[in-house]
């Protein structure tokens, strides 16, 4: 018996999104180092401040999710600041004297999965307006 | 194509309540202060990028006019860091002041032309606002002298062109 036909829908956003989403993970050389969400955000801002100064330390950066056990997070940054954030994460070498490194797992401009995450976290997701296209989820 | 390093010259005026502030201007101290401010405002990247062609080219302690040079690619880093300078330190004493950018030019000559016009206009403003008769006479003399110099410069240029 043939399988029932499935329909797929592909969504194409024509205008560039205002935000970029990064999935990052912080790795320490020694184990047993923990950071809570506030300390994690402070670390990100101090990395930006080190390399790009006070002006870029004030970029609108949000942590959408944070897992203390694995030290991984999903960050949201405005698109003009993506290169600055990524380069300052690359050059961050230590936290409180302990060697560490940021691993960037995924970077996305299209927020489809992050929209769901943001809704779960309770933030207002930013959905770019596209003229003439229906914003509907992929139907299976 | 002509390839050379292009610069931008920032003509700034030091404004302060205290008259001793301008007299304590020193080109090396000022250069260090601007570099430190850029490092604070724009970080390691800004400090390194702007310090390549950076120099204090002209400084007048009486009028408080400063001419800074920087590379064309990074002049906005320097320009945007100037409002963050809030005081000048000299021999342990702090004078609160700020930098007012008057003109941005591509060469020293354009900045000089602007400065001459600006000073002429400032003299006329001073003439309007002054209260003392002796002061008024002194400023009036400076104004006539500066316009005579301009006329003589024009006459010289015309005579060389007519030859």
């Amino acid at each position: 018996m043939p399988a029932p036909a499935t329909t797929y829908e592909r969504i194409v956003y024509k205008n560039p999104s205002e935000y970029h989403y990064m999935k990052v993970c912080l790795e320490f050389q020694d184990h047993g180092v923990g950071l809570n969400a506030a300390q994690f955000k402070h670390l990100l801002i101090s990395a930006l401040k080190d390399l790009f100064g006070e002006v870029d330390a004030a970029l609108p950066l949000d942590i959408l999710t944070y897992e203390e056990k694995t030290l991984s997070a999903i960050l949201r940054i405005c698109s003009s600041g993506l290169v600055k954030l990524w380069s300052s994460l690359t050059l961050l070498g230590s936290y409180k004297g302990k060697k560490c490194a940021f691993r960037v797992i995924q970077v996305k401009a299209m927020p489809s999965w992050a929209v769901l995450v943001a809704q779960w976290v309770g933030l207002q997701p930013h959905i770019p307006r596209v003229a003439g296209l229906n914003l509907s989820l992929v139907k299976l | 194509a002509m390839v050379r390093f292009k610069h931008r010259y920032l003509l700034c005026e030091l404004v302060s309540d205290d008259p001793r502030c301008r007299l304590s201007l020193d080109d090396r101290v000022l250069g260090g202060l601007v570099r430190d401010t850029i490092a604070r405002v724009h970080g390691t990247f800004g400090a390194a990028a702007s310090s390549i062609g950076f120099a204090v080219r002209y400084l007048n302690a009486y009028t408080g006019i400063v001419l800074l040079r920087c590379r064309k690619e990074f002049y906005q880093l320097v320009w945007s860091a100037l409002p963050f300078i809030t005081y000048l330190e000299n021999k342990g004493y702090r004078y609160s002041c700020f930098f007012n950018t008057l003109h941005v030019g591509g060469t020293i000559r354009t900045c000089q032309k602007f400065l001459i016009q600006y000073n002429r206009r400032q003299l006329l403003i001073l003439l309007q606002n002054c209260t003392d008769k002796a002061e008024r006479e002194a400023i009036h003399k400076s104004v006539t002298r500066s316009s005579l110099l301009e006329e003589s410069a024009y006459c010289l240029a015309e005579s060389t062109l007519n030859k």
Side-chain angles (χ1 to χ4, degrees), chain B residues 71-91:
Chain B
R71 285 280 164 88
K72 180 176 150 192
E73 290 85 19
F74 301 112
Y75 80 101
Q76 287 144 334
L77 290 176
V78 180
W79 196 356
S80 57
L82 289 179
F84 288 86
I85 301 179
T86 51
Y87 64 86
L88 220 65
E89 193 143 355
N90 182 30
K91 291 178 191 147

Side-chain angles (χ1 to χ4, degrees), chain A residues 49-56, chain B residues 39-46:
Chain A
K49 192 188 284 200
D50 229 354
L51 188 56
F52 289 106
E54 287 184 9
V55 165
D56 288 319
Chain B
R40 182 168 49 102
V41 174
H42 292 297
T44 333
F45 170 77

Side-chain angles (χ1 to χ4, degrees), chain B residues 10-11 18 29 31 34 36-38 43-44 47 54 60-61 64 76 117 126 150 159:
Chain B
L10 296 167
L11 189 70
D18 199 332
V29 167
V34 175
D36 288 340
T37 312
I38 297 173
T44 333
F54 179 76
N60 188 330
Q76 287 144 334
Q117 281 179 1
L126 279 175
E150 190 185 4
S159 60

